[in-house]
Amino acid sequence: MAKILVIDDEVVFARSVAHTLSRNGHECRSLSSAEEGMISIETDRPDLILLDIKLAGMSGLDALRKILSLDGSIIVIIMTAYSSVESAVAAMKDGAYDYIQKPIDHDELTFIIEKALETHRLRERLSYFQRKEVQQAAHGEIIGVSAGMTQVIEMIGRIAHLEPRPAGELPTVLLLGETGTGKDLVARAIHRRGSLAGQPFVEIECTSIPKDLAEAELFGYEKGAFTGATAAKPGLIEAADGGTLFLDEVGELSPELQAKLLKAIERRQIRRLGSLRERKINVRIIAATNRDLEAAVKVGAFRPDLYYRLKVLTVELPPLRERGEDVVLLANHFLKQLTHKYSLPVRRFTEAALQALRAYRWPGNVRELVHLVERALLVCDEQEIGPSALSMDATSPVVASQRRNHPPGADETFQIQFPEQGIDLDEVERQLIKQALDLTDGNVAEAARKLSIGREALRYRIQKHGITRPAIL
Ligand SMILES: Nc1ncnc2c1ncn2[C@@H]1O[C@H](COP(=O)(O)OP(=O)(O)OP(=O)(O)O)[C@@H](O)[C@H]1O
């Protein structure tokens, strides 16, 4: 349903048009002069105005300019008699969306209005995403000098500076990394620094779309496609046209959507729910996941063809515990940013606090660090923030460093008793890896986390010890 104003000094005609549109489900008012229309724009905030070009008083063309200066997002459709088509064309140059000739054919009117409203909705969605992108751009700096992050930053540069070409021809990018490592941040950086900057960046959180609405959200629908589809609506893929579509947590997509998405990427076309028409799409896809997609492919939880389609260029974000001094750089960066945000006096971490930060294993990665710094800043009144203000699992560097070898939640008194007769270190490692895999049902990423090593390091050890495939997901 949309709010529509009909402005025409032929009162009976204006009422009849408004009546027709109300029957189509819109909220309509008819007015007999442009002057009344101007007042109504302020109070009613219409989505669309049907405006007669020949009005007594303020002319249709003047009214058009005034309307658009009051609110540039209103769609204005000009109504004109055959003899004044030229003025209607002039009006379109001044920003009218379309024109319709009198006498008005009701089917044609309905068609023009529905098409215009669809464009309007698409524009609104785009400007929402563009606004969101501009807000986030201010906080988009990527901090890190560790070897892992240097590689990531170099890769962003390389991807961003690929030869300018249409969005749909740019290679897909797959971002891998544990939760909170910065995949979202990197996706936005690739978009902003490349040739698509300025075009829409549309993020889809695959986990947050209700399953039964997912297809309609992604691909859009036509009016009447299902109960409640009172008007056609473009999907998020269409909203990303010309820019980047960021599929976050792509590993969580249902098998049906995986199939539909693959088809859309391969054919560069989509079909809205309830439509027979294929629509071309021109989008670059960036996907991200914290799941081990390769393992998901092996157990049949993710389509191999989609996996290979997505991983044309892969960027792996290292967990924070493997980034060395980046922890301190990041902590200081967030401290400065948040002090500014809360208009607080300058604060700094004590050396003991920095040691605690270095020693902690960061299961929630950078996101956990941001929250921890924010909490410390808000609870600590001192100019210097010590370890006691950092309410992580372990605030003392000694306990924290012991914990590096202990999965979170493990018994803190866990110790290995060295037997007098000695041990086979390789065998101990093999057994620990097997136990970690058993505990995580063979999930390599999870097991690597429990062992506090990287996924690749774990894969290497699995091969080295010949741990057999069925134990591994
Ligand atoms: N290298 C970095 N420099 C500065 N800020 C960072 C960095 N990495 C992550 N952040 C910040 O940490 C927070 C979490 O990052 P982000 O949301 O990008 O992680 P994610 O990997 O997408 O998480 P999830 O898998 O849960 O979606 C954000 O506030 C982000 O701005």
Side-chain angles (χ1 to χ4, degrees), residues 141 143 179-185 248-249 330 334 366-367:
E141 196 185 350
I143 310 288
T179 179
T181 44
K183 299 183 292 297
D184 195 288
L185 186 72
D248 201 3
E249 302 303 351
L330 282 160
F334 296 134
V366 187
R367 180 177 298 111

Side-chain angles (χ1 to χ4, degrees), residues 42 82 110 132 139 141 175 213 218 236 238-239 295 303 384 388 397 412 440 463:
E42 304 278 355
Y82 178 71
T110 306
K132 202 169 152 205
H139 304 285
E141 196 185 350
L175 305 175
L213 293 181
L218 286 181
L236 292 169
E238 268 180 79
R303 290 182 70 107
E384 298 219 313
S388 58
E412 279 185 17
T440 58
Q463 265 193 352

Side-chain angles (χ1 to χ4, degrees), residues 157-231:
R158 240 176 278 151
I159 298 173
H161 296 113
L162 286 171
E163 212 183 303
R165 57 177 80 190
E169 287 176 22
L170 287 168
T172 17
V173 181
L174 181 60
L175 305 175
L176 301 172
E178 291 175 13
T179 179
T181 44
K183 299 183 292 297
D184 195 288
L185 186 72
V186 167
R188 289 172 195 281
I190 293 174
H191 175 78
R192 237 184 355 258
R193 295 183 198 173
S195 56
L196 303 186
Q199 298 297 323
F201 176 94
V202 177
E203 175 174 353
I204 300 176
E205 259 188 60
C206 301
T207 42
S208 68
I209 312 178
K211 222 171 162 195
D212 46 341
L213 293 181
E215 189 177 348
E217 271 292 304
L218 286 181
F219 297 93
Y221 52 83
E222 295 296 343
K223 184 175 173 182
F226 49 85
T227 330
T230 50

Side-chain angles (χ1 to χ4, degrees), residues 368-408:
E368 188 183 1
L369 176 61
V370 179
H371 293 312
L372 196 127
V373 173
E374 185 163 20
R375 204 159 358 118
L377 185 67
L378 297 176
V379 297
C380 179
D381 292 328
E382 316 284 318
Q383 199 193 349
E384 298 219 313
I385 301 176
S388 58
L390 299 169
S391 52
M392 49 202 184
D393 278 354
T395 44
S396 115
V398 183
V399 178
S401 56
Q402 278 173 2
R403 279 207 171 185
R404 275 181 76 77
N405 302 319
H406 298 228

Side-chain angles (χ1 to χ4, degrees), residues 327-372:
V327 176
V328 171
L329 278 182
L330 282 160
N332 284 327
H333 166 77
F334 296 134
L335 184 65
K336 201 168 150 197
Q337 207 176 57
L338 292 162
T339 315
H340 179 72
K341 174 177 158 190
Y342 291 113
S343 310
L344 291 169
V346 177
R347 302 273 167 88
R348 61 177 214 94
F349 291 111
T350 63
E351 194 42 48
L354 294 178
Q355 277 305 336
L357 294 173
R358 284 187 188 102
Y360 185 56
R361 67 184 305 282
W362 300 110
N365 293 293
V366 187
R367 180 177 298 111
E368 188 183 1
L369 176 61
V370 179
H371 293 312
L372 196 127

Side-chain angles (χ1 to χ4, degrees), residues 212-315:
D212 46 341
L213 293 181
E215 189 177 348
E217 271 292 304
L218 286 181
F219 297 93
Y221 52 83
E222 295 296 343
K223 184 175 173 182
F226 49 85
T227 330
T230 50
K233 186 176 167 197
L236 292 169
I237 300 182
E238 268 180 79
D241 194 42
T244 300
L245 180 69
F246 175 43
L247 297 166
D248 201 3
E249 302 303 351
V250 73
E252 309 306 319
L253 278 182
S254 68
E256 303 83 68
L257 278 183
Q258 288 178 30
K260 291 205 160 111
L261 182 67
L262 176 71
K263 201 165 140 198
I265 298 176
E266 290 195 322
R267 301 178 53 195
R268 293 206 210 142
Q269 282 184 343
I270 54 143
R271 195 189 301 166
R272 291 183 184 179
L273 271 174
S275 167
L276 295 175
R277 187 157 79 82
E278 299 272 10
R279 289 162 192 264
K280 283 204 186 324
I281 48 160
N282 173 33
V283 291
R284 180 256 301 279
I285 300 212
I286 302 183
T289 181
N290 53 26
R291 277 182 74 177
D292 187 341
L293 271 196
E294 204 176 322
V297 167
K298 281 189 190 125
V299 294
F302 200 82
R303 290 182 70 107
D305 38 12
L306 179 58
Y307 174 59
Y308 293 116
R309 253 288 166 193
L310 295 178
K311 65 167 252 175
V312 178
L313 295 170
T314 306
V315 181

